[in-house]
Amino acid sequence: MTALELKAEAFSNGPAARDVIIGRDPDILADIREPGVAAAIWRRTPEPEFQKWIDALPPDSLPELRTVVPVHLAETAVMAACESHGVPVCEMRDTLASDVGALALMLAKTLTVRLVRLRLDVSEDVMCPKFHLDNVRARLLCSYRGAGTEYVPENIAHESGRIRQVPPGGVALFRGRKWSSEERTALLHRSPVATPESGPRLLLVIDPAD
């Protein structure tokens, strides 16, 4: 066995982070830095008026976005995406943009970064049907419309009864494959099953870009 293979084997058998910490305070996201924590979930309940508005938007008006921006321009980027997709000017549109901006700032502060890779994905299909680990330091996910992301420790991924799910509107910060720690990340996640009656899903994805 080569030195590289020995190192890889030692890493796979070494300490693993698979714990999920959940709370109703946004500061819970910072706990992703704690030993053994593979994901931190802010369990928040969307404002009923906002949820009613975003669920009622026509599919072709849901904003899509893929960009890399300084964190302070995340809100502006979402506003531009809303404008280009014909999202009507209203208080709820401002709420969506400001919420994305706030979440981008939380990620930036937690990971000490200045640039973020920002995505708003609209899909009626299952985007990532298999449990996986993202090839990033960490990834923030929030389902504004549709079901939340599913997750499970890798050692019990075959047990369907052990699968858990981020609530709609909840914010989850998952460690990725490139997390800078001696702990390997042993928590997997995937997109939820899509159903015709659920309609298109609007998912926010934020990654560190520096």
Side-chain angles (χ1 to χ4, degrees):
M1 185 176 291
T2 67
L4 184 61
E5 289 171 330
L6 284 169
K7 184 177 180 181
E9 183 179 25
F11 183 74
S12 65
N13 294 325
R18 58 173 57 91
D19 293 343
V20 179
I21 188 164
I22 303 171
R24 293 194 173 275
D25 191 298
D27 290 344
I28 196 75
L29 297 181
D31 287 350
I32 193 73
R33 300 185 299 242
E34 295 297 319
V37 176
I41 298 175
W42 174 17
R43 183 182 290 276
R44 62 175 185 171
T45 303
E47 290 293 332
E49 287 187 14
F50 174 80
Q51 199 62 57
K52 182 179 179 180
W53 170 78
I54 205 161
D55 286 343
L57 280 178
D60 58 0
S61 290
L62 290 172
E64 293 187 84
L65 175 65
R66 285 177 178 253
T67 189
V68 175
V69 293
V71 64
H72 68 279
L73 292 180
E75 181 174 347
T76 301
V78 175
M79 289 297 288
C82 288
E83 191 69 30
S84 64
H85 284 78
V87 181
V89 177
C90 64
E91 181 183 351
M92 296 299 104
R93 190 177 85 164
D94 294 344
T95 297
L96 173 63
S98 64
D99 190 67
V100 173
L103 294 179
L105 183 60
M106 289 180 194
L107 175 80
K109 286 185 175 180
T110 298
L111 302 181
T112 318
V113 296
R114 297 171 300 160
L115 294 175
V116 293
R117 183 171 289 105
L118 192 62
R119 285 167 37 199
L120 281 171
D121 288 331
V122 178
S123 177
E124 294 191 63
D125 301 318
V126 181
M127 296 175 60
C128 301
K130 295 182 179 181
F131 279 115
H132 64 281
L133 184 63
D134 295 314
N135 195 34
V136 294
R137 268 179 71 197
R139 172 162 290 174
L140 184 147
L141 299 171
C142 176
S143 296
Y144 284 115
R145 174 166 157 168
T149 299
E150 297 179 344
Y151 60 90
V152 67
E154 65 176 10
N155 59 318
I156 54 171
H158 61 286
E159 300 181 31
S160 59
R162 305 290 291 275
I163 297 169
R164 298 293 180 260
Q165 192 165 25
V166 180
V171 181
L173 184 56
F174 290 93
R175 286 190 189 183
R177 195 179 305 277
K178 294 182 178 180
W179 183 262
S180 53
S181 166
E182 292 184 358
E183 296 178 324
R184 64 184 183 87
T185 304
L187 184 77
L188 310 177
H189 63 274
R190 71 180 180 187
S191 300
V193 174
T195 59
E197 57 272 15
S198 65
R201 184 177 184 230
L202 177 62
L203 176 70
L204 170 68
V205 183
I206 309 178
D207 301 331
D210 62 357

